[in-house]
Amino acid sequence: MYYARDENVNTKESFRWHSSAAENGHVESMAALGLMLVAGRGCTKNEEEGLQWLRSSATAGCIYGIGALAHQYYTRKMFTKAVECAFKASETTTPSVSLSPLECRGTALCCFVLARCLEIGLAVGKNVPKAQEYYLKARDYDNAMTAELHTLLVYGRM
């Protein structure tokens, strides 16, 4: 994570280190590597390989990987997969449990994606009161992430 800090940003080095860690089974690096590949940060853009790394991270139980994968499914209009993925993490964790900041971020992603799908009835029945509960849950896990996602939504980028 050293090369991802604002004062040390070097996406190519970050990609190199996350690649090495992911290949050695580090689940959070699998998620980071997947997102870097999807966006082409520090590497040549390769969405399919990026999604595969996200799937590997999620399958290994990384909450951040699950959240990132749910968000990627949502942005690709794969709403059924987004809901299935998001529901796993949003229901298996609670704000009272001690989670790392990255796990909180992943859970917030899941809650927000699930809330959005419930709000407008994508892959699940429309349920605005339940959507509001998940939006609040997302905020409780990671207020900054929830604000970022809300901004993307407002500007039509989600």
Side-chain angles (χ1 to χ4, degrees):
M1 296 305 231
Y2 176 82
Y3 291 108
R5 293 185 186 143
D6 288 340
E7 67 273 12
N8 304 315
V9 172
N10 183 332
T11 56
K12 288 183 181 180
E13 275 299 301
S14 184
F15 179 80
R16 186 174 73 78
W17 282 103
H18 280 301
S19 294
S20 178
E23 288 167 6
N24 285 307
H26 190 274
V27 295
E28 290 174 348
S29 282
M30 289 176 188
L33 182 62
L35 290 171
M36 293 179 86
L37 283 159
V38 166
R41 286 195 188 105
C43 60
T44 302
K45 187 174 184 173
N46 186 333
E47 291 185 8
E48 190 51 46
E49 185 180 355
L51 288 173
Q52 187 53 49
W53 278 111
L54 288 173
R55 283 186 209 101
S56 295
S57 177
T59 299
C62 176
I63 296 171
Y64 180 63
I66 294 168
L69 185 60
H71 183 252
Q72 290 299 316
Y73 284 149
Y74 182 89
T75 60
R76 287 170 171 69
K77 301 188 185 321
M78 300 168 73
F79 302 119
T80 301
K81 285 188 174 192
V83 167
E84 289 170 0
C85 200
F87 187 76
K88 287 178 193 172
S90 64
E91 289 300 309
T92 58
T93 57
T94 57
S96 61
V97 175
S98 180
L99 298 175
S100 73
L102 209 51
E103 290 171 322
C104 288
R105 189 173 182 89
T107 306
L109 272 164
C110 287
C111 291
F112 195 93
V113 166
L114 190 54
R116 184 65 179 149
C117 290
L118 284 163
E119 181 180 22
I120 54 181
L122 299 170
V124 290
K126 185 174 180 176
N127 187 335
V128 174
K130 194 70 171 168
Q132 290 172 338
E133 287 177 33
Y134 279 104
Y135 282 129
L136 292 173
K137 199 172 177 181
R139 182 207 59 202
D140 291 344
Y141 278 106
D142 190 327
N143 190 42
M145 167 55 70
T146 303
E148 285 178 40
L149 292 168
H150 181 258
T151 300
L152 290 174
L153 190 61
V154 166
Y155 289 103
R157 290 186 240 145
M158 180 174 174

